[in-house]
Amino acid sequence: MIIAESTKQKTIPKTLDFQQAFCQSILPQLEKYVLTPPHGCPIMPPNTYLLLKKTLYGLKRSPRHRFLKATEILESVGLKPITNSRCIFQGHLIPGQPPLTLGLYVDDCIYFSESREVEELFETRVQKESNNKITFMGRITHFLGIKFDTMYCNNNAYLFMSQTAFIESLAGMFNIQENPSVTSPH
């Protein structure tokens, strides 16, 4: 949906990544996680337990906490989730300018606006509001296993999507040859 909308608006989306997203969200007070330190840890006495203050990669609810933290950051810069999809955000950051639209998947985002000024303001605000390290990766090249090739031509944006890398990875996992010969039963 976001790719179709960005193409309709003649824009090429950009991507950003919240670095170490699963280690940044503070756990709610009502959720307690207790862990034992790694076996043989030289700095911890035996029979020691650790009470977590922040989420860790691997906790069942870490993606939920990360989503809530990202939503808080995005709302603080002027974006709101759209009614029928809580992971798509939109907002008018500059009055009289086109809105910015953003799709969030755990710690990866894709965003666009018809106005470069709006995109720059968003990037400045989200970097300032976030205590996380954020990497702005520019024009979309890869997102959720899909490879994108992009270009502008005659004032139109063109996006070409391919899952070649993913398909090649699957073929390698299952030891499937690149061009196997198959005989037809007919």
Side-chain angles (χ1 to χ4, degrees):
M1 180 175 126
I2 290 178
I3 298 299
E5 188 62 28
S6 72
T7 304
K8 179 180 167 187
Q9 293 183 19
K10 301 180 181 183
T11 63
I12 294 176
K14 295 180 174 183
T15 57
L16 72 84
D17 181 62
F18 289 95
Q19 297 296 313
Q20 299 180 354
F22 286 102
C23 301
Q24 301 299 327
S25 301
I26 296 173
L27 288 166
Q29 281 191 314
L30 296 176
E31 285 189 42
K32 305 289 184 197
Y33 290 95
V34 178
L35 300 175
T36 57
H39 182 70
C41 180
I43 61 171
M44 293 294 200
N47 301 321
T48 299
Y49 295 92
L50 306 172
L51 177 63
L52 294 181
K53 292 182 179 182
K54 291 189 173 189
T55 60
L56 290 175
Y57 187 82
L59 288 180
K60 250 184 175 176
R61 295 196 34 95
S62 286
R64 173 75 177 150
H65 294 302
R66 178 64 224 145
F67 176 79
L68 293 174
K69 181 65 176 170
T71 297
E72 179 185 314
I73 292 166
L74 295 172
E75 288 181 343
S76 75
V77 300
L79 300 179
K80 301 284 181 220
I82 65 172
T83 307
N84 57 349
S85 181
R86 305 291 300 161
C87 61
I88 298 176
F89 295 76
Q90 196 169 55
H92 286 85
L93 305 181
I94 302 174
Q97 291 284 327
L100 183 121
T101 303
L102 178 140
L104 170 66
Y105 184 79
V106 186
D107 62 344
D108 297 315
C109 296
I110 180 174
Y111 64 97
F112 69 92
S113 175
E114 290 179 81
S115 166
R116 177 70 191 130
E117 185 181 357
V118 170
E119 289 179 343
E120 288 172 357
L121 178 62
F122 165 73
E123 291 163 1
T124 302
R125 283 184 181 176
V126 79
Q127 185 71 48
K128 183 180 176 185
E129 288 295 321
S130 174
N131 292 331
N132 302 319
K133 182 180 175 193
I134 295 177
T135 303
F136 293 96
M137 296 176 284
R139 274 189 188 181
I140 190 168
T141 58
H142 290 82
F143 192 70
L144 304 180
I146 300 171
K147 180 182 181 295
F148 290 84
D149 290 310
T150 61
M151 66 180 225
Y152 283 106
C153 183
N154 297 329
N155 235 7
N156 287 312
Y158 293 92
L159 286 89
F160 303 94
M161 302 174 6
S162 167
Q163 286 191 296
T164 304
F166 179 69
I167 293 166
E168 288 171 354
S169 168
L170 284 177
M173 282 175 30
F174 295 103
N175 198 23
I176 298 172
Q177 297 173 5
E178 192 169 316
N179 292 317
S181 52
V182 177
T183 56
S184 172
H186 302 285

